[in-house]
Amino acid sequence: MLEKALTGSRRYWGWIFFLLAVIGVGFIFYLRQFAYGLGITGMSRDVSWGLYIGQFTFLVGVAASAVMLVIPYYLHDFKKFGKIVILGEFLAVAAVVMCMLFIMADMGQPMRVMNLVLHPSPKSIMFWDAIVLNGYLLLNIVIGWNTLEADRKEVPPPTWLKPLIYLSIPWAISIHTVTAFLYAGLPGRPFWLSAIMAARFLASAFAAGPALLIILALIVRKLTKFDPGKEPIQALGKIVTYAIIASTFFLGLEVFTAFYSKIPGHMASFQYLYAGLDGVGKLVPMMWLSTILAVVAIILLVNPNTRKNESILAFACVAAFISLWIDKGLGLIVGGFVPNPFERVTEYWPTLPETVITIGVWAIGLLVLTVLYKVAISIREAQIESGSNTH
Amino acid sequence: MSISRRDFLKLAGISSLGIGFSATDLLWKNRAEAVEYMSSPKGLTAKRWAMVVDLRKFKTEEDYKRVIDACHYIHNVPDFGNLKDEVKWIWTDTFEHVFPFQKNEYLPEGVQEKKAVLFCNHCDNPPCVRVCPTQATFKRKDGIVAQDYHRCIGCRFCMAACPFGSRSFNWRDPRPFIKRLYPKFPTRTKGVVEKCNFCVERLAKGLGPKCVEVSNGGLIFGDLSDPESEVRKILSKHYSLRRKAELGTRPSVFYIIGGDEDA
Ligand code: SF4
Ligand code: SF4
Ligand code: SF4
């Protein structure tokens, strides 16, 4: 089926080569980082994780959110998702691939990655994170590919696939829960030491992932003959609505706990992020932008009139996605490190090479996504042309 | 095969620095972990090593500087001269930053601004060991939290987990920034974490930690499980603090703050 990715319009190839060029530039900067070390980034002794780990954390959520299509379709027999469930599964594949690349980019000794396997330590959450992420990648590749193959041949998917699909549901939850545990179980980082961390992660993921999927579905409709349909997009819109409300509510719970208890360590990171601390606060404008975008998105999504208007919905989804990207891709990680264990403030801001490498990894993700979507959509288009039914 | 090649390249790298190494040093360089476990007949042993910092004995800047310089010299700790790349094993900070939970504006005069020396606490219940995905950081039977630089993948999970800011990362190649090379201790590469090791390499040879040796009594090292040890004796006579004891990591470093009248 992969050969379907090798034929396409000029626009398709233009996009592919554009992505390859971006990847190329990112790779050149990565080689520099590889030679020089992570000192090329904005990270320091005090803020020892930054943009890379932020992207990893955010994208695990995007990957997990495929479950928001799988559950209604397979568990509740919500037929309308039939056409786009594959888009969710392939988005998950691209997202997990990016997660792994960001981990690689963040490693001080990437050549030693096999040490994770050679000297495993089951007490380390990172060990479990590696297992669930790899498992999830495999599950989605197998499920996505086989349903698509069956679809192309217009036969029902093989029966052995069903248990895997059901397994993928708790598995999706687990990848984001385990990733939240990377942070939630650390003493001395009060910003992360919160039992609600995993719930927060899932809520924000179930908002950001489906929001991205809506945007992608609208793009697919514009550019190809395949129309994912109005109803599934609206159904996804409702999911985004509930999820972003839950996510904002959970954030509010954290703020309450910190500021009503008045325990200095619990307030400090919030103060740094939203108001600045010791006279510095590089992230303050970003965090407020995130807050405003979340509020705007919620207002537009809650109101059925605006949500039903697809252009407004698209705008609200972009707002929600950017808001959650700032919150999780940057604020959550940096906020955990500032102030440092000595109650001193060391700021962090990504450097140019770090940013270019990050964009390069996103470009790889988009490339994987484009190729997988191309295959899936070509099959849909062929069916439309031959007039056969799609599910 | 790739491992032996890597080791060969490393050896080639050291030789190119033009420094003579004894055979044991080379062996040790490549098998840091093995040697850390090796007990030599004349090595010092204990059930649980611990350190007491008697701040009353640290009076002048020189008192702090002496221990820091001694440790950093014999461990080839690089000096980058900037905060962003900083690597340190032992350093100082003021009371209120070292004991953020003990803030109290009515403390005796000078205590708030009093500096304390800081290094890894060799916690009994160390989160850095718990989170390390490769067991590159591990706790030895004698309580020392040690690290195998050759196994570390540089994920920096341990830095996020240590509540005491005890760990440093080699953001770039440290070797050009070692002011004066100490040939008997391995240098590190970029991309690995490091910290105070309670001088395991000296304990194995029957020597105490270097910082203790030059501290003029400000640092006391010994076996916490032995009631006759110096550390136990001084702890039984003076009121002492441990950093962030409420987090349950059970640090093996104790601080005596006040004058004799506070004992
Ligand atoms: S002080 Fe930090 S690095 Fe040292 S043992 Fe405790 S947690 Fe680990
Ligand atoms: S940076 Fe090295 S020592 Fe620290 S957790 Fe990762 S592998 Fe272990
Ligand atoms: S015990 Fe050894 S390694 Fe640790 S600070 Fe003292 S001299 Fe340095």
Side-chain angles (χ1 to χ4, degrees):
Chain A
M1 282 193 295
L2 211 52
E3 75 283 351
K4 297 212 187 295
L6 295 177
T7 52
S9 61
R10 278 184 61 171
R11 198 170 49 192
Y12 170 72
W13 283 110
W15 171 242
I16 296 280
F17 281 113
F18 167 73
L19 289 177
L20 287 173
V22 176
I23 294 166
V25 177
F27 189 68
I28 291 169
F29 277 87
Y30 180 73
L31 288 179
R32 269 190 61 195
Q33 175 182 305
F34 191 81
Y36 182 87
L38 283 163
I40 208 167
T41 70
M43 290 183 272
S44 64
R45 198 176 185 280
D46 286 329
V47 186
S48 47
W49 280 338
L51 194 59
Y52 297 150
I53 293 296
Q55 303 313 290
F56 156 75
T57 309
F58 177 73
L59 287 164
V60 172
V62 172
S65 71
V67 80
M68 286 287 104
L69 294 168
V70 172
I71 291 179
Y73 182 60
Y74 289 102
L75 281 191
H76 303 298
D77 207 23
F78 185 71
K79 291 267 179 333
K80 307 234 165 63
F81 276 169
K83 282 205 266 177
I84 61 166
V85 86
I86 188 79
L87 297 187
E89 279 157 353
F90 281 167
L91 175 59
V93 171
V96 179
V97 168
M98 283 191 263
C99 287
M100 290 173 171
L101 290 171
F102 276 118
I103 292 287
M104 283 298 281
D106 192 64
M107 278 174 50
Q109 287 287 336
M111 307 299 271
R112 294 186 190 163
V113 65
M114 284 313 283
N115 280 4
L116 281 169
V117 183
L118 296 174
H119 313 285
S121 172
K123 264 193 274 172
S124 172
I125 299 289
M126 209 171 268
F127 167 79
W128 295 105
D129 214 29
I131 290 182
V132 292
L133 275 181
N134 280 293
Y136 192 65
L137 180 64
L138 207 69
L139 274 176
N140 274 286
I141 291 175
V142 171
I143 294 169
W145 205 250
N146 280 290
T147 40
L148 199 61
E149 184 87 61
D151 215 26
R152 186 177 63 126
K153 295 190 191 129
E154 293 177 41
V155 294
T159 42
W160 57 263
L161 210 57
K162 265 274 148 86
L164 289 188
I165 290 168
Y166 291 133
L167 178 64
S168 78
I169 293 170
W171 206 289
I173 310 284
S174 83
I175 62 168
H176 219 23
T177 304
V178 174
T179 305
F181 287 174
L182 286 179
Y183 308 98
L186 304 181
R189 304 270 175 205
F191 190 59
W192 295 337
L193 191 66
S194 155
I196 207 179
M197 195 56 92
R200 254 183 90 188
F201 270 44
L202 287 167
S204 75
F206 294 162
L212 179 59
L213 209 55
I214 290 175
I215 299 163
L216 290 172
L218 293 173
I219 294 173
V220 163
R221 177 200 283 161
K222 238 206 165 90
L223 298 182
T224 73
K225 293 195 202 81
F226 169 55
D227 181 4
K230 237 180 153 55
E231 274 172 280
I233 289 178
Q234 282 301 320
L236 276 176
K238 279 183 204 142
I239 291 172
V240 179
T241 312
Y242 290 121
I244 192 166
I245 290 173
S247 170
T248 312
F249 176 62
F250 289 163
L251 181 63
L253 298 184
E254 301 266 29
V255 172
F256 172 81
T257 307
F259 286 89
Y260 196 77
S261 73
K262 289 244 182 294
I263 298 175
H266 290 259
M267 295 191 290
S269 296
F270 283 105
Q271 282 166 336
Y272 169 71
L273 289 176
Y274 290 95
L277 202 62
D278 291 358
V280 285
K282 268 190 194 153
L283 285 178
V284 174
M286 296 283 274
M287 295 317 287
W288 282 106
L289 177 66
S290 167
T291 311
I292 293 165
L293 288 173
V295 172
V296 169
I298 289 175
I299 293 171
L300 295 177
L301 288 167
V302 167
N303 185 340
N305 295 324
T306 42
R307 189 179 61 235
K308 281 186 185 134
N309 178 325
E310 273 188 0
S311 352
I312 298 179
L313 176 67
F315 175 79
C317 285
V318 172
F321 187 80
I322 296 175
S323 166
L324 295 164
W325 178 83
I326 295 172
D327 187 54
K328 243 160 95 236
L330 204 56
L332 184 95
I333 304 302
V334 178
F337 286 107
V338 186
N340 74 2
F342 306 95
E343 297 195 340
R344 290 185 195 276
V345 174
T346 307
E347 291 217 277
Y348 162 83
W349 195 256
T351 58
L352 179 74
E354 193 177 4
T355 312
V356 175
I357 292 168
T358 302
I359 294 171
V361 175
W362 274 91
I364 295 176
L366 282 176
L367 185 69
V368 172
L369 190 75
T370 307
V371 167
L372 291 175
Y373 273 27
K374 177 74 172 53
V375 172
I377 289 161
S378 302
I379 287 169
R380 297 274 184 259
E381 284 178 330
Q383 285 167 342
I384 293 164
E385 263 153 34
S386 70
S388 70
N389 211 349
T390 52
H391 272 282
Chain B
M1 203 222 88
S2 70
I3 288 170
S4 59
R5 213 190 92 215
R6 206 178 63 208
D7 285 348
F8 169 76
L9 289 177
K10 234 177 264 149
L11 289 180
I14 305 160
S15 332
S16 70
L17 285 173
I19 292 135
F21 272 74
S22 70
T24 47
D25 282 332
L26 285 180
L27 185 74
W28 185 55
K29 158 108 197 146
N30 292 318
R31 281 267 137 259
E33 185 194 19
V35 169
E36 278 171 0
Y37 273 124
M38 200 170 76
S39 56
S40 95
K42 56 186 173 112
L44 298 182
T45 53
K47 276 220 184 83
R48 186 181 164 198
W49 289 116
M51 186 89 87
V52 173
V53 182
D54 188 347
L55 285 179
R56 299 167 304 176
K57 300 271 169 62
F58 286 87
K59 294 201 174 79
T60 63
E61 276 300 311
E62 178 51 34
D63 292 335
Y64 298 101
K65 197 172 172 306
R66 203 171 48 246
V67 293
I68 295 169
D69 288 349
C71 168
H72 285 182
Y73 169 53
I74 68 154
H75 292 115
N76 288 321
V77 176
D79 179 7
F80 289 95
N82 71 62
L83 261 176
K84 201 178 101 51
D85 294 323
E86 188 179 37
V87 172
K88 55 191 178 188
W89 284 27
I90 171 169
W91 69 102
T92 63
D93 209 332
T94 56
F95 181 85
E96 55 176 331
H97 291 286
V98 175
F99 301 99
F101 298 107
Q102 308 283 340
K103 246 182 242 159
N104 171 357
E105 58 240 78
Y106 306 110
L107 284 174
E109 205 178 331
V111 170
Q112 203 80 268
E113 300 83 45
K114 176 85 184 168
K115 277 201 217 157
V117 285
L118 303 174
F119 36 88
C120 168
N121 290 291
H122 297 272
C123 305
D124 224 14
N125 183 10
C128 56
V129 170
R130 191 156 66 235
V131 303
C132 180
T134 61
Q135 302 170 29
T137 295
F138 56 96
K139 197 176 126 196
R140 309 194 331 161
K141 282 209 184 66
D142 57 8
I144 293 180
V145 174
Q147 204 194 333
D148 180 348
Y149 312 120
H150 301 287
R151 187 182 280 192
C152 173
I153 59 172
C155 64
R156 311 189 296 296
F157 202 0
C158 53
M159 295 177 83
C162 171
F164 307 98
S166 297
R167 304 187 143 249
S168 301
F169 181 69
N170 287 283
W171 296 99
R172 47 191 293 202
D173 182 8
R175 285 174 188 150
F177 298 90
I178 299 167
K179 271 195 252 156
R180 196 155 49 106
L181 194 82
Y182 185 75
K184 287 200 201 128
F185 197 81
T187 55
R188 273 75 67 194
T189 48
K190 68 171 187 288
V192 300
V193 162
E194 59 182 76
K195 66 168 187 72
C196 154
N197 65 356
F198 259 10
C199 288
V200 279
E201 79 282 6
R202 286 171 60 90
L203 296 178
K205 291 185 197 141
L207 300 164
K210 188 70 186 177
C211 55
V212 174
E213 190 180 287
V214 302
S215 69
N216 291 343
L219 299 170
I220 301 111
F221 187 72
D223 187 352
L224 211 53
S225 70
D226 173 7
E228 295 305 312
S229 69
E230 241 194 296
V231 283
R232 280 288 290 277
K233 281 187 188 147
I234 189 163
L235 287 177
S236 67
K237 284 202 207 86
H238 301 279
Y239 178 74
S240 58
L241 286 175
R242 286 190 294 178
R243 292 167 68 196
K244 301 187 182 178
E246 67 284 1
L247 296 181
T249 70
R250 285 182 295 172
S252 304
V253 176
F254 300 79
Y255 291 85
I256 294 170
I257 311 290
D260 281 336
E261 66 276 12
D262 302 324

